[in-house]
Amino acid sequence: MNIKSLLIGSAAAIVAVSGARAADAVVVAEPEPMEYVRVCDVYGAGFYYIPGTETCLRVGGYLRYDIGVGMWGHQDVVDRKDFAEDGVLDYNDTYYKLMRAQVQLDARGETEFGTLRGYMALNFNNETDVTGGVLNQVFTDSFFAFDHAWIELGGFRVGYSDSMFEWLTDSAGAVIQDSIVAYSPGKSHQISYTFTAGNGFAATIGFEEGNNGRGGIYTLDSYVPHVVAGASFTQGWGKVAAVVGYDSVWEEWAGKVRVDVNATENITLFAMAGYKSGADDDDFGGLDAPNFYGVWGGDWAVWAGGTARFNEKTALNVQLSYDEDETFGAVVGLDYNIVPLFVIRPEISYASVQDPVTGEREDDWGGYLRFQRSF
């Protein structure tokens, strides 16, 4: 064998070995099976299965921009320029503004004990506020807050939300400014159980913590909770609901009864009445005794109103309210859906309030405008 033949043979062997190794290096792995997101239509529109689970999730929320004037704006704020120039306190009225982004997460799944649900609504707010006092000035403030957060299994619920004294009677009317005569103590930690029958009847009993509102005197000061119980009956013609709440701190109670009627295909009406203990209490100088659930003035209060839908885009909302302390409120508002999921809501309000100490009556007007894009 000569040198030339030896070199050619060696080169061929190297090429063969290199080719074998290259072939080994480019082996392509089989692709993993892909799991596509599946729609979950058991609980309504917008739910989908979380991949790899049998839990259905809905992500929603809204963007909201509010403008308030008059009684819903900022009144008697210092005119900064005048005060800077001559030191004299002159006052103006100005706008109230709120920008809110709410994110809602709703997770549901079926278990041997019924539907397991977790729900939360988170608010990210920027609004105008006032400093108060003689040098009353407007400033902007950003803050985060839980609107709702609770866990539910079957009829058992635990978490933080609007007081049961509110949601067991479906708040008040459909207007934005529905609490000129107050009907709700606000939000609270709560534990409840709801029994639901198949004939439209439901009953709830629960316990609440109270909150820091109205001077911070309604949160629990012992292991005895506030107690709430309510029942409702719903049919095609409408609904009847009643609720009673017991304030364990001040040992007072309050109750409400509400009736909703579907008057026509496009008109719904409601009326609600409340009564509480402790009004005109001698232990408190003839004023109302503290009562977490009795938030209106005097023994009793009434609310009434309705909604008239003109077409798919436009609805008119009206609400009137009055209590024994002669507080009167009237609100008229319009809901106009420019396009689906984007609504403009202008409102006009009138309030007449009598001071329980001096007896003086104050009348005030206000306007409110809301833009909301839901998703």
Side-chain angles (χ1 to χ4, degrees):
M1 179 181 296
N2 56 32
I3 298 299
K4 182 178 180 180
S5 299
L6 181 60
L7 292 174
I8 293 174
S10 299
I14 292 172
V15 170
V17 172
S18 300
R21 290 181 177 175
D24 291 340
V26 295
V27 174
V28 179
E30 293 184 6
E32 294 291 333
M34 182 177 294
E35 183 175 356
Y36 293 94
V37 174
R38 295 178 295 152
V39 173
C40 174
D41 55 7
V42 177
Y43 307 110
F47 284 89
Y48 63 89
Y49 286 99
I50 299 175
T53 75
E54 292 302 313
T55 298
C56 297
L57 178 68
R58 183 185 184 277
V59 179
Y62 61 77
L63 294 173
R64 172 184 293 175
Y65 192 71
D66 288 355
I67 304 171
V69 298
M71 62 187 291
W72 306 120
H74 297 304
Q75 297 179 312
D76 299 328
V77 298
V78 170
D79 187 313
R80 293 188 179 94
K81 186 173 183 294
D82 282 357
F83 183 66
E85 289 179 346
D86 54 24
V88 176
L89 289 173
D90 292 323
Y91 294 93
N92 301 319
D93 294 345
T94 189
Y95 305 97
Y96 165 79
K97 299 287 185 69
L98 167 70
M99 182 66 219
R100 170 178 294 169
Q102 182 175 103
V103 178
Q104 302 166 1
L105 300 176
D106 191 348
R108 307 189 201 185
E110 294 305 312
T111 74
E112 58 183 312
F113 298 105
T115 301
L116 174 61
R117 184 183 183 190
Y119 177 79
M120 61 177 140
L122 313 176
N123 289 339
F124 301 88
N125 299 309
N126 182 276
E127 70 173 346
T128 58
D129 204 347
V130 292
T131 56
V134 177
L135 294 176
N136 192 32
Q137 300 184 57
V138 177
F139 66 96
T140 60
D141 184 28
S142 295
F143 59 95
F144 159 82
F146 275 104
D147 202 21
H148 310 278
W150 40 263
I151 302 167
E152 190 175 69
L153 178 60
F156 175 77
R157 178 188 288 191
V158 58
Y160 177 80
S161 188
D162 298 323
S163 170
M164 289 179 279
F165 194 73
E166 175 181 346
W167 60 259
L168 286 175
T169 48
D170 298 322
S171 300
V175 296
I176 300 171
Q177 305 296 351
D178 60 354
S179 56
I180 295 175
V181 173
Y183 62 86
S184 170
K187 299 181 184 298
S188 174
H189 291 278
Q190 55 195 253
I191 300 172
S192 66
Y193 180 78
T194 299
F195 168 76
T196 303
N199 60 354
F201 176 79
T204 300
I205 185 167
F207 309 99
E208 295 189 325
E209 178 78 13
N211 60 42
N212 295 327
R214 293 177 287 150
I217 59 175
Y218 297 106
T219 49
L220 300 184
D221 56 9
S222 72
Y223 286 117
V224 181
H226 302 318
V227 182
V228 182
S232 64
F233 184 64
T234 306
Q235 296 291 295
W237 53 264
K239 181 179 179 179
V240 178
V243 64
V244 62
Y246 174 72
D247 181 333
S248 67
V249 174
W250 297 99
E251 299 181 348
E252 303 289 351
W253 65 273
K256 293 184 298 185
V257 176
R258 172 170 172 152
V259 178
D260 290 85
V261 176
N262 299 320
T264 69
E265 184 177 350
N266 297 315
I267 298 177
T268 59
L269 304 172
F270 88 95
M272 182 167 69
Y275 187 86
K276 72 178 184 184
S277 67
D280 305 323
D281 196 310
D282 291 338
D283 293 337
F284 293 92
L287 302 177
D288 294 356
N291 187 333
F292 179 59
Y293 297 106
V295 292
W296 53 86
D299 289 309
W300 54 266
V302 291
W303 304 260
T307 297
R309 181 160 295 281
F310 301 130
N311 49 52
E312 294 181 355
K313 289 191 172 186
T314 311
L316 178 70
N317 302 311
V318 178
Q319 179 176 304
L320 305 175
S321 54
Y322 189 74
D323 66 20
E324 190 186 29
D325 280 354
E326 299 186 18
T327 298
F328 172 74
V331 185
V332 178
L334 194 69
D335 289 0
Y336 181 67
N337 291 269
I338 300 177
V339 294
L341 302 179
F342 181 40
V343 61
I344 294 180
R345 303 183 64 184
E347 282 190 359
I348 297 176
S349 304
Y350 168 74
S352 180
V353 180
Q354 181 173 332
D355 190 299
V357 178
T358 66
E360 295 181 358
R361 177 164 294 279
E362 295 183 1
D363 299 330
D364 210 348
W365 290 85
Y368 210 78
L369 179 62
R370 171 170 292 173
F371 301 85
Q372 182 165 311
R373 197 282 192 229
S374 302
F375 56 90

